[in-house]
Amino acid sequence: MSNVLPFGDRLSRAMAEKGPLCVGVDPHPGLLAQWGLEDTAASLEHFAFTVLDACGDVSAALKPQVALFERHGSAGLAVLEKFQAEAAQQDVLVVADAKRGDIGSTMAAYADAWLGEASPLATDSVTLSPYLGFESLRPALDLASKNQRGTFVLALTSNPEGRSVQHIGGPEKSVAGSIVQAAQRENESSAWQNMGPCGLVIGATVGQALSKLNIDLSTFNGPILSPGYGAQGASAEDLYRIFEGIERQVLVNSSRGVLSAGPHRSSLRDAAQRAAEELDSASR
């Protein structure tokens, strides 16, 4: 992909054109049932392609939850491969929400799977877990840079359990703060124009955690994927209060808030459009 813009710049361009919304592609069994679908791989395909058709041109990216495809085995992964290939054909960016993290040759294999040139699962970007040490992600970080793809590293998540790890060290040396700093250094080693390829995952419902941990994002040089907007409780105003000053770098994920409007394409599109307009208004 040497002739392709770096991932962060492609995402920046998509956000400038379409706004900051990222729609989750989360085929939960309960949501499939709500759509009148059986819990099968064939239903996954219908679900995923309906979301792509309805939301692809009104959202900056789509974020398939990999586990919900994996639970259907090889048939589910085949659907994911097909979905990601079609999104690429339509020039819709994908964040594969796989949260991969390991060491050595195993991490290299995960990197090949999601970021390599030959893998049918490879896509624009993938989420990573750094809790075996940020440098354990090196194979993925290097391959992403080489192939002009992106990564989103878990830093400060909204789930209560995350505090037991991410807040360790307090305001001076928190684990979350060290991840932010490491991602910033990673981007400093790459060539890009608007945003570096190494992003962070920071929840929209973290509240005062950033200030309590003395984490300053004002100079962060990559994208921030922020789940928690909409059905998970964070309003657009809440979100932009947390990310004041770096609004243009925040890719805002909404899953249930949009997907529950299905199964009809027009209803899904309307829900995505309303979310995009709300985010645009709140960011000004």
Side-chain angles (χ1 to χ4, degrees):
M1 300 180 69
S2 59
N3 61 337
V4 176
L5 285 173
F7 170 75
D9 289 336
R10 285 188 284 140
L11 179 59
S12 178
R13 182 177 64 184
M15 292 170 69
E17 292 174 354
K18 302 178 183 180
L21 181 65
C22 173
V23 175
V25 186
D26 296 3
H28 290 279
L31 193 52
L32 292 175
Q34 182 180 323
W35 279 34
L37 299 171
E38 296 180 355
D39 189 11
T40 65
S43 294
L44 295 190
E45 183 167 340
H46 175 80
F47 181 98
F49 277 78
T50 299
V51 176
L52 174 60
D53 183 45
C55 304
D57 63 348
V58 295
S59 53
L62 298 178
K63 184 177 73 65
Q65 173 46 258
V66 170
L68 297 173
F69 292 83
E70 285 181 338
R71 63 185 290 271
H72 289 270
S74 59
L77 288 176
V79 171
L80 183 59
E81 292 172 7
K82 186 176 179 181
F83 167 80
Q84 292 181 165
E86 182 58 29
Q89 286 292 316
Q90 296 185 25
D91 199 25
V92 176
L93 293 177
V94 169
V95 181
D97 195 358
K99 298 182 178 71
R100 294 300 190 248
D102 216 303
I103 61 173
S105 59
T106 307
M107 192 64 231
Y110 281 139
D112 280 340
W114 297 101
L115 302 164
E117 292 285 29
S119 171
L121 280 171
T123 190
D124 302 291
S125 64
V126 65
T127 58
L128 301 174
S129 174
Y131 294 106
L132 288 171
F134 188 88
E135 278 303 307
S136 69
L137 304 178
R138 179 53 51 197
L141 299 170
D142 287 348
L143 195 59
S145 180
K146 176 184 176 182
N147 291 337
Q148 306 289 41
R149 304 185 194 271
T151 56
F152 287 94
V153 181
L154 301 178
L156 197 60
T157 57
S158 299
N159 63 304
E161 302 88 348
R163 300 172 192 162
S164 65
V165 175
Q166 297 159 16
H167 290 213
I168 288 176
E172 300 300 323
K173 296 183 179 180
S174 70
V175 172
S178 72
I179 292 167
V180 172
Q181 293 168 9
Q184 182 157 342
R185 289 193 298 269
E186 188 65 26
N187 286 327
E188 288 169 356
S189 68
S190 301
W192 45 270
Q193 184 173 7
N194 295 311
M195 293 193 296
C198 185
L200 298 170
V201 179
I202 298 179
T205 56
V206 297
Q208 299 299 311
L210 286 167
S211 59
K212 287 180 179 179
L213 296 175
N214 198 27
I215 296 174
D216 180 9
L217 295 174
S218 63
T219 61
F220 183 64
N221 47 13
I224 295 172
L225 174 64
S226 188
Y229 162 69
Q232 289 180 266
S235 69
E237 289 76 15
D238 293 334
L239 187 141
Y240 287 121
R241 192 176 303 116
I242 291 171
F243 297 113
E244 185 177 2
I246 56 168
E247 294 90 347
R248 293 184 180 181
Q249 294 165 238
V250 183
L251 181 65
V252 184
N253 183 73
S254 179
S255 295
R256 283 174 291 168
V258 172
L259 301 177
S260 61
H264 300 297
R265 178 191 181 280
S266 59
S267 299
L268 277 172
R269 184 181 177 83
D270 287 347
Q273 191 69 58
R274 285 195 301 272
E277 290 171 356
E278 181 181 30
L279 291 168
D280 179 64
S281 176
S283 68
R284 295 181 180 181

